[in-house]
Amino acid sequence: MKAVYSTASLAAISLALASPSYAQNADAEDGDEVSLPDASRSGDFNVIIVTGRAGGSELRKAEASYAITTLSDDALRLTNPASTADTFKQVPGFWVESSGGEGSNNVRSRGIPTDGYSAVALQENSLSVQYDGGLGYLNPDQSFRFDETIARVEAVRGGPASIFAPFAPGGVVNFITRKGTDEPGGRVKYTWGNYNLNRLDGYYGTRLDENWGVFVGGFYRQSDGMRDTGFLAEKGGQIRGTVDYDDGRNSLMLDVKYLDDRVPFYLPVPLTYDADGEITDVPGFDSREDTLAGPDTDDLPIKNVGRPYLFDLTEGSHTQMTQITLNGVLALNDTFALESRNRYRDADILRNAMFPTGNVTELDVFLNGIRPAVLAAFPGATDIRAEYAGGGVPVTDTTNGNGLVVGGNLLSVSVPIEEVITDNRLTAEFEAGGSHSFAVGFTYGHYDYRFDRYMGTTLLDVQGNARRLDVVAVDADGDVVGRATDNGFQRYGSIYDNVGMKVDAIALYAGDEWQVTDALRLDFAARWEQTEFGGQVAEKTTVNLGDPTTLADDQVLTGTGNFIEVDERFDDFAWTVGANYQFAPSMGVFARYTDTFKLPSAGEWNGNPTRTDQRSVPIKMAELGFKYGGDVFNLFATAFFSKFEGVSFTNYRFNPVTNEYDDPEVVVADTETWGMELEALVRPSRFFDLSVQATYQDPQYKGFTYTDQTGAVQDYDGNQLIRVPKLSFRAVPAVNLFDGRLRTELEVEHYTKRYPDIANSQELPAYTLLNLNFRGQVTDSLALGLNVSNLTDELGLTEGNPRAGSFNTGDPNARYFLARPVFGRTVRASVTLDF
C-alpha cells in the first residue's frame, strides 16, 4: 500500500518543515503561528509535485526518487526574477547565463555539452513551451515571459525528465500558472528600475461557482535595457485569460495567451588586462553598463540582390505570439483516468542584434593589415585612412580615447513558427503486491518554421554605442579614389540562409510508481520517440553587386534559386528505474539509473543541408540522493553521473579577413561528468535562516582529438567543458522581523573559473556576486519590494566570444579580447497591492 502516516506524524512534519506560505517558529508556544515568507529555496517536503512523473496520484516532494527543486509563490515574489533564466539560478545543478537579457540565454545541467535549451525542457503547465528547444536562433525563452501569473516552479534535473518530456535529458523546468479556482482575488504590481524601467503587472481571478473559475493577468513594460543601448530597448508585454473547472476528480483548463514584446540581446564587449594581469575595462568603455550596439548601428540599409534589407536594431528579439492551451483530466472510474494536454502556438519571431566579431585591434594595426589589398584594388591609390561613416571626419588612434576597432555583424534572423503539441495518457491506480500509480501515453508534436537569415559586417570604433568607420583609399593629393568599406560595411551579405522545415515527432511512453511497502517505492518508465523532418534549404552563391568604388559589395552571399531537399528520420528508446526508501516521513534516500538519448534537431540542417554527422546521442545518467527535514535543518544532497556518447561538436569561426564563417570543423567525442548537488536550509529561529544551493562537478571531454586546419593534431581529452564552472555556490542568509512582515535576504553567488573554448586556452576567472532582496508587508494588502543585483558592481564573465570558434579561441595572451559580463549594479523597487 501507499505510505500512510498518522495525523500526529503529519502535524509534526508541518511543524518542522514549514508550508510554502507559512513557517512556524520551533521556539513558539503550541498554537502560536507566525506568518513568514517562505525562506526555503529547498522548498517544502510536503508539497505535491507533478513534474517528471507519469502517475496521477499525489506524491510528496519528500518521497520523490529524483532530484527536484520547488520554488513557491513567496520565493518568486521575493527574488522577483528579471528573466526566465534568472529563476534557474535558485536551482542547483544548473549553470545559467542570463547575461544575454530577458531572452535567448544559455542553460546547462549536469555536464550537458550543448547550449541554449537544447537539452533542458522549458514547460508551462507540464507541457513544453517549444517541442525542440534547440532550433537555431529560436530558444523557448523567446516565447515565454515570467510574470505575476506564475504561481510556482518545479525543476527536475536529469532522472526521468527525458522520459516524460522531449529534448530534456538535462532536466525540465515547469512554470505552473494561477487559475481562478485556486487564486481568487487580484494583484496589481508596479516596478521601477534604475535603467528607466517602468513595468505594470496584474491579475484577477475568481470562482464563478463551486467548480468553475476565471482568471486574467499579464504585464506591460518599457525600459532602456540593462545596458545603455541609446534607445528604448524593451517594450511590450503579454496577457492571458484562463477558464478552468475542477470538481476534485475531473478538471478542465482553457488558457489563451498573447505575447507582443521586444527585448535586446546583449553580446560580448571588449576587455583588456591591467598591469597586474587582472581583467579590466578598455579605456572609455564601461563593461558593466555599456554595449557596442547603439543608434549608429540602427536603421541601416544592408545592400542585397534587388532592394536593400533595412536593419532595425531597435526590434531586438521581437516575439508576437498567440498560444492556446487546453488541459483536462477525466476520471473514468475509481481506477482509471484520462489526462490530456494540448497546445497550439503561432509565433512570428525576429532576432536583430549586433554581434561583435573578429579581434579587438589597434586602428593602425588594422589599417596596416589591409593596406596592401586595398591599394592593389584601386589604381592610383597611395595610402588609406579611416573616417567616420556618413561624415568623413578623420579617425586616428587618439580620436575615441583608445584607438581600437572591432568588427560588428548586423544580423537579422526571422523564424516564424506554427506548432501543435499534444500529450495524452491513461492513468491507473490499483493494488497488486502494493499500490501502483501507472500511466501509458503518447506525445505528438508538429511544427512548421521558416529560417531566413541575412547579415552585413561593419567596422566599428570601440566605445559605448560604437560608431561605424569607413576605410578609404586616397591618392597623393589626399583625394578619395576608392573605398574598402561602404557606409561602414566591410561586407554586405556576409551570411545568407533561406530555409523552410516541417517536423513531425511522436513518442510513446509508460511508467509505474510501485509503492511496495510503506517505506519502499520502485519507479519504472520507458520512452520510444521518433522525429521526422523535411524541407528545403536554399543553395548559396556569391555575387558582385557591381559598385566599382567599393569592395564591400564584391562578395555578397545570396541564393541561386535552387533548393536542396532535406529528408531525415531518427528514433531511439530510453528507460529509467528508480527506488525511494523512507526511513521516516522526513528522511529518505533514493537511487536512479537512466539510459536515454538526445535526438538531432532540425535546426542543425538550417545552414548545412548535406551534413551527415548527426545521429541520436546515447546518454547514461545515475544519481544517488539523501533528504532530511528537521525542526531547524533541511537537506537535499544528490550525487550524480552523466555521460554523453558520440556528440558532434561543430566549430563555427567567423573569419575577420574574409568576413564570413570558415568551413566548420566537426569532431565526434564523448563527455563525462561526476558531481554533487546540495540544497540546505538552516532555520535556528524565526528571526534568521540560511539557505544554500551548491553544485560541484568535474565535467570533461573524452576522446576529443582532431587534426586542425594547419595539419596539427589537437588532443583535448580531459579538458573542462566550456563555460561550465566546477563549483557553483549560492548562500542566502536572511533576517525576518516584525512577526515576518519584513524579510531581507543577501544572496551570495560564487562561480569558479571557466573556459570559453574546448582547448581551455583562455580562462574566465572566478567571480562572486552579492544581491539584495527585501520585502515588507506594510498591511495585509500592501507590500513593498526592493531587489539590488550585483551590489558591488563586480566584473564577472559568463562567456567568451563564440564567433572566435568553440574549439580554440586563438591567442590567449592577446592584449584585448571579447567576452560577455554579467550586468552591473541594477536596482528595482516595487509596490504590490493585493485585493
Side-chain angles (χ1 to χ4, degrees):
M1 295 179 60
K2 183 175 176 62
V4 178
Y5 304 110
S6 66
T7 303
S9 297
L10 290 176
I13 297 170
S14 299
L15 177 66
L17 302 180
S19 73
S21 299
Y22 298 91
Q24 188 146 357
N25 176 17
D27 300 327
E29 296 181 4
D30 291 345
D32 291 343
E33 189 175 77
V34 180
S35 174
L36 292 173
D38 176 25
S40 173
R41 293 298 181 271
S42 301
D44 178 14
F45 271 47
N46 291 323
V47 68
I48 303 301
I49 58 174
V50 298
T51 308
R53 54 189 298 254
S57 64
E58 290 189 349
L59 180 68
R60 295 188 311 135
K61 179 181 176 181
E63 300 169 325
S65 60
Y66 50 89
I68 182 169
T69 296
T70 54
L71 303 177
S72 71
D73 180 56
D74 282 328
L76 295 172
R77 301 289 79 76
L78 182 64
T79 55
N80 194 21
S83 67
T84 302
D86 270 342
T87 62
F88 288 52
K89 291 185 176 182
Q90 303 180 48
V91 182
F94 284 116
W95 162 245
V96 182
E97 295 176 0
S98 59
S99 54
E102 198 160 342
S104 307
N105 287 295
N106 291 314
V107 177
R108 291 174 179 245
S109 168
R110 292 184 173 182
I112 290 176
T114 56
D115 291 326
Y117 290 79
S118 58
V120 174
L122 179 61
Q123 289 190 335
E124 183 178 280
N125 293 322
S126 302
L127 195 62
S128 294
V129 171
Q130 182 171 298
Y131 192 93
D132 177 3
L135 294 175
Y137 290 87
L138 196 60
N139 283 13
D141 63 348
Q142 292 172 249
S143 296
F144 184 86
R145 295 288 186 270
F146 180 85
D147 66 9
E148 292 290 324
T149 66
I150 303 299
R152 69 183 195 277
V153 178
E154 296 182 358
V156 175
R157 284 90 67 199
S162 62
I163 305 299
F164 303 114
F167 291 91
V172 170
V173 181
N174 187 14
F175 291 79
I176 300 169
T177 63
R178 304 179 193 275
K179 298 181 294 184
T181 52
D182 294 339
E183 300 284 344
R187 173 175 294 170
V188 176
K189 177 181 176 182
Y190 168 73
T191 304
W192 169 89
N194 66 337
Y195 46 99
N196 199 26
L197 170 68
N198 289 280
R199 173 169 172 146
L200 186 66
D201 288 73
Y203 68 78
Y204 179 75
T206 187
R207 288 182 178 270
L208 300 178
D209 61 22
E210 184 179 354
N211 300 325
W212 286 93
V214 294
F215 178 88
V216 63
F219 78 93
Y220 184 82
R221 172 259 292 113
Q222 289 189 3
S223 88
D224 292 339
M226 298 178 76
R227 291 186 177 276
D228 180 15
T229 60
F231 50 75
L232 188 68
E234 298 181 335
K235 183 178 181 179
Q238 74 178 5
I239 185 169
R240 78 163 73 237
T242 304
V243 178
D244 75 292
Y245 171 89
D246 192 340
D247 63 13
R249 284 170 53 86
N250 305 288
S251 65
L252 181 70
M253 184 187 74
L254 174 64
D255 180 85
V256 180
K257 180 171 70 174
Y258 179 72
L259 170 68
D260 187 349
D261 190 34
R262 58 178 173 88
V263 295
F265 182 44
Y266 300 107
L267 280 306
V269 300
L271 294 156
T272 188
Y273 298 93
D274 63 18
D276 298 323
E278 300 294 327
I279 294 175
T280 189
D281 290 347
V282 168
F285 193 98
D286 187 340
S287 63
R288 299 159 185 80
E289 304 291 339
D290 287 341
T291 177
L292 291 168
D296 204 54
T297 49
D298 172 42
D299 215 17
L300 293 173
I302 305 177
K303 290 182 180 179
N304 195 359
V305 177
R307 63 182 181 181
Y309 179 85
L310 184 61
F311 179 80
D312 185 357
L313 185 60
T314 66
E315 282 287 285
S317 292
H318 189 176
T319 300
Q320 295 173 291
M321 181 192 73
T322 300
Q323 176 184 289
I324 303 172
T325 304
L326 180 64
N327 294 344
V329 177
L330 175 64
L332 302 178
N333 52 40
D334 291 340
T335 300
F336 295 100
L338 288 174
E339 296 183 8
S340 182
R341 300 179 180 91
N342 308 273
R343 176 164 295 145
Y344 169 78
R345 177 172 66 119
D346 185 8
D348 285 321
I349 299 175
L350 176 68
R351 285 187 64 177
N352 284 358
M354 199 283 287
F355 292 75
T357 191
N359 303 314
V360 180
T361 310
E362 290 92 344
L363 175 61
D364 288 344
V365 172
F366 175 81
L367 293 177
N368 289 336
I370 67 171
R371 180 176 281 106
V374 176
L375 294 181
F378 298 105
T382 60
D383 201 2
I384 62 173
R385 69 167 183 252
E387 58 188 35
Y388 281 116
V393 176
V395 176
T396 69
D397 58 4
T398 60
T399 301
N400 64 352
N402 54 50
L404 299 174
V405 297
V406 68
N409 287 333
L410 304 188
L411 176 63
S412 181
V413 184
S414 174
V415 194
I417 183 169
E418 188 172 13
E419 181 175 52
V420 175
I421 305 174
T422 179
D423 181 82
N424 302 274
R425 63 184 67 171
L426 174 67
T427 65
E429 309 291 326
F430 60 91
E431 301 290 328
S435 176
H436 293 262
S437 183
F438 175 81
V440 58
F442 74 92
T443 304
Y444 173 71
H446 171 85
Y447 43 103
D448 292 277
Y449 73 89
R450 289 197 54 79
F451 181 82
D452 295 294
R453 180 166 60 164
Y454 193 68
M455 184 172 82
T457 300
T458 58
L459 179 65
L460 307 171
D461 71 349
V462 172
Q463 61 174 307
N465 308 144
R467 296 180 62 185
R468 290 171 289 118
L469 302 180
D470 273 329
V471 175
V472 298
V474 296
D475 60 18
D477 296 326
D479 297 326
V480 175
V481 296
R483 293 167 292 135
T485 61
D486 181 37
N487 196 30
F489 284 90
Q490 299 183 76
R491 180 179 176 180
Y492 294 115
S494 45
I495 276 184
Y496 171 87
D497 285 294
N498 180 359
V499 179
M501 285 284 186
K502 179 182 293 185
V503 183
D504 287 286
I506 187 169
L508 305 177
Y509 61 83
D512 185 28
E513 298 171 357
W514 177 19
Q515 194 74 46
V516 183
T517 68
D518 285 353
L520 176 64
R521 193 185 72 257
L522 302 178
D523 298 338
F524 311 91
R527 178 187 186 91
W528 174 84
E529 185 173 6
Q530 175 183 279
T531 182
E532 182 176 6
F533 51 86
Q536 294 184 324
V537 179
E539 285 187 338
K540 290 175 277 192
T541 188
T542 56
V543 299
N544 189 327
L545 297 184
D547 185 348
T549 68
T550 182
L551 304 180
D553 73 340
D554 288 1
Q555 295 287 319
V556 175
L557 277 167
T558 188
T560 65
N562 297 321
F563 289 82
I564 300 173
E565 296 287 338
V566 176
D567 186 6
E568 300 286 350
R569 178 187 295 178
F570 301 89
D571 67 87
D572 214 329
F573 178 80
W575 58 274
T576 184
V577 58
N580 182 79
Y581 189 85
Q582 293 294 125
F583 299 106
S586 59
M587 183 172 65
V589 294
F590 71 85
R592 179 172 291 274
Y593 180 80
T594 302
D595 189 319
T596 187
F597 58 85
K598 180 184 179 297
L599 295 178
S601 168
E604 297 291 344
W605 277 259
N606 284 347
N608 187 1
T610 60
R611 69 185 307 165
T612 58
D613 61 296
Q614 295 294 298
R615 67 186 185 97
S616 179
V617 175
I619 303 167
K620 307 292 191 296
M621 296 186 293
E623 54 189 320
L624 179 65
F626 172 79
K627 51 263 180 106
Y628 170 77
D631 53 359
V632 296
F633 180 63
N634 290 0
L635 174 67
F636 289 83
T638 306
F640 63 86
F641 167 79
S642 69
K643 184 174 184 178
F644 287 65
E645 300 176 346
V647 183
S648 289
F649 296 95
T650 305
N651 191 37
Y652 295 104
R653 179 181 178 275
F654 194 82
N655 189 321
V657 176
T658 62
N659 287 310
E660 68 177 339
Y661 280 94
D662 291 334
D663 290 337
E665 299 167 296
V666 178
V667 173
V668 177
D670 300 344
T671 67
E672 188 174 287
T673 301
W674 294 87
M676 171 70 75
E677 299 168 353
L678 177 73
E679 290 183 272
L681 170 69
V682 181
R683 190 188 287 116
S685 76
R686 63 178 177 175
F687 301 111
F688 175 79
D689 55 77
L690 171 67
S691 64
V692 175
Q693 301 87 44
T695 304
Y696 179 81
Q697 57 186 324
D698 186 13
Q700 297 184 10
Y701 295 98
K702 295 294 183 181
F704 199 113
T705 61
Y706 77 106
T707 302
D708 66 20
Q709 294 176 340
T710 68
V713 176
Q714 304 293 341
D715 185 355
Y716 299 148
D717 183 74
N719 283 13
Q720 184 174 326
L721 259 62
I722 63 173
R723 298 183 178 177
V724 180
K726 286 190 173 182
L727 175 64
S728 302
F729 179 83
R730 185 172 182 271
V732 186
V735 175
N736 303 295
L737 300 174
F738 305 110
D739 291 331
R741 302 184 74 88
L742 185 151
R743 179 174 173 86
T744 303
E745 295 182 343
L746 178 66
E747 297 179 352
V748 182
E749 300 178 33
H750 178 74
Y751 306 99
T752 56
K753 66 180 180 182
R754 286 137 292 108
Y755 300 97
D757 59 0
I758 295 171
N760 290 180
S761 66
Q762 181 184 17
E763 181 179 308
L764 303 178
Y767 65 92
T768 301
L769 300 179
L770 300 180
N771 309 310
L772 180 68
N773 301 317
F774 166 87
R775 183 173 175 85
Q777 197 70 42
V778 181
T779 69
D780 290 344
S781 300
L782 181 64
L784 302 178
L786 178 68
N787 303 96
V788 183
S789 301
N790 197 0
L791 193 63
T792 60
D793 215 25
E794 175 79 359
L795 175 56
L797 305 182
T798 64
E799 72 169 25
N801 177 21
R803 266 62 60 189
S806 59
F807 287 10
N808 193 319
T809 59
D811 182 6
N813 299 312
R815 182 179 178 186
Y816 303 102
F817 64 98
L818 291 165
R820 186 165 70 181
V822 298
F823 298 112
R825 184 188 302 109
T826 59
V827 180
R828 290 173 296 141
S830 63
V831 179
T832 303
L833 178 65
D834 291 326
F835 57 92

